[in-house]
Amino acid sequence: MVLQESILNAILKRDTTQFDRGDVSFIIVAGAMVSFMIPGLAFLYSGLARRKSALSLIWVVTASNSVCIFQWYFWGYSLAFSPTATNGFIGNLAHFGLMDVLGDPSPGSPLIPDLLYAFYQMEFACVTVGILMGGIAERGRVLPAMIITFLWMTLVYCPLACWPWNINGWAFKYGVLDYAGGGPVEIGSGVGGLAYAWVLGRRQEVELLNFRPHNVSMVNLGTFILWFGWLGFNGGSAFGANLRAVMAVWNSMLAAAFGGIVWCLLDYRLERKYTMVGFCSGTIAGLVAATPASGFIHPWAAVIMGIITGAVCNYATKVKFLLRMDDALDLFAEHAVGGILGLLMNAFFASRSIIALDGVNTNVPGGWVDHHWKQLYIQVAYICATCSYAFVVTALIVKCVSIIPGLHLRTTAEGEKLGLDEVEIGEFANDYIEVRRDFMDWTAFGNGVGAHRPSAAGDRHGQPDLAQQDQGQNLRTEELSSDGTAEKSLELPQADAASS
């Protein structure tokens, strides 16, 4: 009993003397903001998809979040950030199940405790797998996607996070500048999503014709929720309430704004329309580029980065057509290309004066603005390593899962035609079936046939009523034919009989 009290007193004393409560509170709030990016991502994907598969994307992003939380608690955090692993590639299981993760200084920053750092990094991982799930849009089954999520977190994300952020990671020792996840988050999800879509295969050609987002308002809502959360994503990566965090927020705002403007103007030159989807796409591209760079560069460099990113990512959306890969939600063009550009910006514009604003990283060399010329090939080598590893390992994971009985990756051709909401989820983001059911109530075949009748399943989506209605219509038609009245005209209800 005395021993327990002494341990508790030691922990409380350490908490009050070692960590600034303002820094701790700031990172808790920043982590909550990053968590709010999950519904933002779900709404964005849902709005970009067809109506018949809109809810399936919300579901898969939501479910992948839960799988990721379990994986991170189980062994993900240890595999990514265990400081006792020295291989430079991946951590060990020293912190399996968050063992011994409590009040020691975190491996990422001495400003916050280990337990808080584990939570904050977990939210990064949740956002990353949410982005990855966009690869299954409109044809991928959700159960295999959940299995792939756990495996991908273990074999792809954890190594990618270990490389630049673990003190023993090879990229960390090599001198790579990756502020908030250009490699693990953006390249990992963007290139990984492209690999997933490639193995999954293209949608049916008829589904590719006249494709357009079903709810642009939802796209805009999702974009602004993401933008809000991204301020916690990039600002919190300074791991303290300091000037570097404020600089990261400023750079994120500038890159997002200029990225959206440039993308929208490039779309205007083609259709003479100021597209909302284009503005949102450019905004996200700017935020993606700010992820690895916002804590390293000056605001004037963020403006340049936003302009370049908006233009390059816009043109990068054409790559999927050249490669014949059905990257339906442009994960590669937005996240992979944006992340690559942000990492390259660090080679040119990273400044040691900005890096030192957190009061911790005072000896980190910058990029070309500080005459540190070799930073360019360091960044290029890191980009090549992360891109190749993410694509190859993701493709292997997806392919291996696909050959397991019962875990075939995609729905049937008929299921793709009906939509994943119906065949996989059984619910709908927009229950348009109700409109058809009510409309049929007042047609010439009505006579109470289409009236609502209770059903054992509760008729949540109108399916039992439609089946009964169709059966009743068939019976009515047969009766008319047997009476010799099939050729009689059927009068529809008139809005104003007197007007005729």
Side-chain angles (χ1 to χ4, degrees), residues 7-72:
I7 294 175
L8 179 60
N9 291 332
I11 292 174
L12 292 175
K13 182 178 180 181
R14 178 173 54 190
D15 184 50
T16 57
T17 58
Q18 186 168 359
F19 305 113
D20 184 277
R21 292 186 181 274
D23 290 338
V24 172
S25 300
F26 174 67
I27 300 304
I28 292 174
V29 173
M33 292 172 65
V34 177
S35 179
F36 193 48
M37 294 175 70
I38 303 298
L41 190 63
F43 292 150
L44 173 69
Y45 281 178
S46 176
L48 288 172
R50 281 189 172 88
R51 184 186 308 173
K52 62 185 179 182
S53 294
L55 189 63
S56 66
L57 284 168
I58 295 179
W59 190 98
V60 77
V61 171
T62 303
S64 68
N65 179 63
S66 296
V67 173
C68 180
I69 292 171
F70 164 66
Q71 192 274 350
W72 198 251

Side-chain angles (χ1 to χ4, degrees), residues 330-475:
D330 286 320
L331 303 186
F332 178 79
E334 294 262 11
H335 295 276
V337 175
I340 290 170
L341 291 173
L343 288 169
L344 290 176
M345 292 301 107
N346 287 339
F348 297 109
F349 302 127
S351 172
R352 63 168 58 93
S353 63
I354 300 299
I355 302 171
L357 289 176
D358 60 5
V360 176
N361 299 283
T362 56
N363 296 316
V364 178
W368 282 20
V369 295
D370 289 335
H371 308 291
H372 189 230
W373 312 114
K374 71 176 184 178
Q375 193 64 44
L376 179 58
Y377 71 73
I378 292 175
Q379 298 297 107
V380 171
Y382 175 66
I383 290 168
C384 293
T386 51
C387 287
S388 56
Y389 181 84
F391 188 89
V392 172
V393 179
T394 302
L396 289 175
I397 291 172
V398 176
K399 188 64 177 178
C400 289
V401 170
S402 70
I403 63 178
I404 299 175
L407 292 181
H408 52 281
L409 297 177
R410 60 184 297 160
T411 186
T412 62
E414 181 64 20
E416 190 176 336
K417 180 179 179 181
L418 291 173
L420 295 183
D421 287 3
E422 182 167 342
V423 300
E424 287 279 297
I425 308 301
E427 298 168 323
F428 304 92
N430 303 284
D431 204 353
Y432 53 91
I433 293 177
E434 297 290 342
V435 176
R436 176 173 178 250
R437 181 177 61 183
D438 295 339
F439 172 80
M440 295 295 284
D441 284 345
W442 56 266
T443 63
F445 293 109
N447 295 331
V449 172
H452 181 75
R453 300 170 183 175
S455 63
D459 189 20
R460 294 178 63 195
H461 308 294
Q463 296 291 359
D465 271 356
L466 288 175
Q468 295 167 4
Q469 193 165 329
D470 292 340
Q471 182 180 7
Q473 291 176 12
N474 292 335
L475 292 174

Side-chain angles (χ1 to χ4, degrees), residues 161-392:
C162 176
W163 296 356
W165 292 335
N166 191 308
I167 57 174
N168 292 313
W170 70 262
F172 181 87
K173 293 182 176 180
Y174 192 43
V176 167
L177 297 179
D178 189 351
Y179 177 65
V185 178
E186 307 302 352
I187 291 177
S189 61
V191 174
L194 182 69
Y196 197 158
W198 175 58
V199 177
L200 190 60
R202 291 167 59 84
R203 288 167 290 177
Q204 299 179 77
E205 293 302 319
V206 66
E207 297 295 328
L208 297 174
L209 299 176
N210 195 33
F211 174 76
R212 59 183 180 182
H214 94 280
N215 192 331
V216 179
S217 298
M218 193 76 80
V219 173
N220 181 262
L221 174 63
T223 298
F224 271 87
I225 292 177
L226 284 171
W227 194 341
F228 172 78
W230 231 303
L231 301 182
F233 199 103
N234 292 345
S237 291
F239 301 115
N242 50 57
L243 275 178
R244 193 182 184 194
V246 180
M247 183 63 71
V249 168
W250 257 112
N251 289 337
S252 301
M253 298 294 283
L254 289 169
F258 280 89
I261 292 170
V262 170
W263 190 303
C264 188
L265 291 177
L266 287 174
D267 282 355
Y268 179 82
R269 87 189 195 283
L270 296 175
E271 301 179 8
R272 292 297 185 269
K273 297 290 189 299
Y274 301 102
T275 65
M276 188 74 258
V277 172
F279 215 118
C280 291
S281 298
T283 298
I284 292 173
L287 289 167
V288 167
T291 299
S294 58
F296 290 129
I297 63 177
H298 290 276
W300 58 263
V303 173
I304 297 174
M305 180 175 66
I307 293 172
I308 293 175
T309 302
V312 175
C313 290
N314 181 290
Y315 286 107
T317 58
K318 310 301 185 292
V319 172
K320 63 182 179 183
F321 301 109
L322 298 176
L323 300 178
R324 297 283 296 171
M325 294 182 181
D326 189 10
D327 184 10
L329 303 180
D330 286 320
L331 303 186
F332 178 79
E334 294 262 11
H335 295 276
V337 175
I340 290 170
L341 291 173
L343 288 169
L344 290 176
M345 292 301 107
N346 287 339
F348 297 109
F349 302 127
S351 172
R352 63 168 58 93
S353 63
I354 300 299
I355 302 171
L357 289 176
D358 60 5
V360 176
N361 299 283
T362 56
N363 296 316
V364 178
W368 282 20
V369 295
D370 289 335
H371 308 291
H372 189 230
W373 312 114
K374 71 176 184 178
Q375 193 64 44
L376 179 58
Y377 71 73
I378 292 175
Q379 298 297 107
V380 171
Y382 175 66
I383 290 168
C384 293
T386 51
C387 287
S388 56
Y389 181 84
F391 188 89
V392 172

Side-chain angles (χ1 to χ4, degrees), residues 71-220:
Q71 192 274 350
W72 198 251
Y73 162 76
F74 187 66
W75 61 23
Y77 177 67
S78 187
L79 291 176
F81 293 104
S82 176
T84 57
T86 58
N87 59 67
F89 177 78
I90 192 171
N92 55 30
L93 297 180
H95 294 309
F96 177 83
L98 294 183
M99 289 189 302
D100 299 323
V101 177
L102 192 59
D104 291 330
S106 73
S109 173
L111 299 178
I112 60 174
D114 199 5
L115 188 64
L116 177 56
Y117 185 75
F119 160 70
Y120 186 68
Q121 289 291 346
M122 179 184 70
E123 296 305 330
F124 276 46
C126 290
V127 171
T128 304
V129 294
I131 298 170
L132 178 76
M133 289 297 101
I136 76 169
E138 301 196 338
R139 78 271 198 202
R141 295 177 62 230
V142 298
L143 177 59
M146 296 303 101
I147 306 299
I148 289 169
T149 293
F150 187 90
L151 296 175
W152 189 87
M153 276 292 303
T154 302
L155 299 176
V156 179
Y157 184 82
C158 287
L160 290 181
C162 176
W163 296 356
W165 292 335
N166 191 308
I167 57 174
N168 292 313
W170 70 262
F172 181 87
K173 293 182 176 180
Y174 192 43
V176 167
L177 297 179
D178 189 351
Y179 177 65
V185 178
E186 307 302 352
I187 291 177
S189 61
V191 174
L194 182 69
Y196 197 158
W198 175 58
V199 177
L200 190 60
R202 291 167 59 84
R203 288 167 290 177
Q204 299 179 77
E205 293 302 319
V206 66
E207 297 295 328
L208 297 174
L209 299 176
N210 195 33
F211 174 76
R212 59 183 180 182
H214 94 280
N215 192 331
V216 179
S217 298
M218 193 76 80
V219 173
N220 181 262

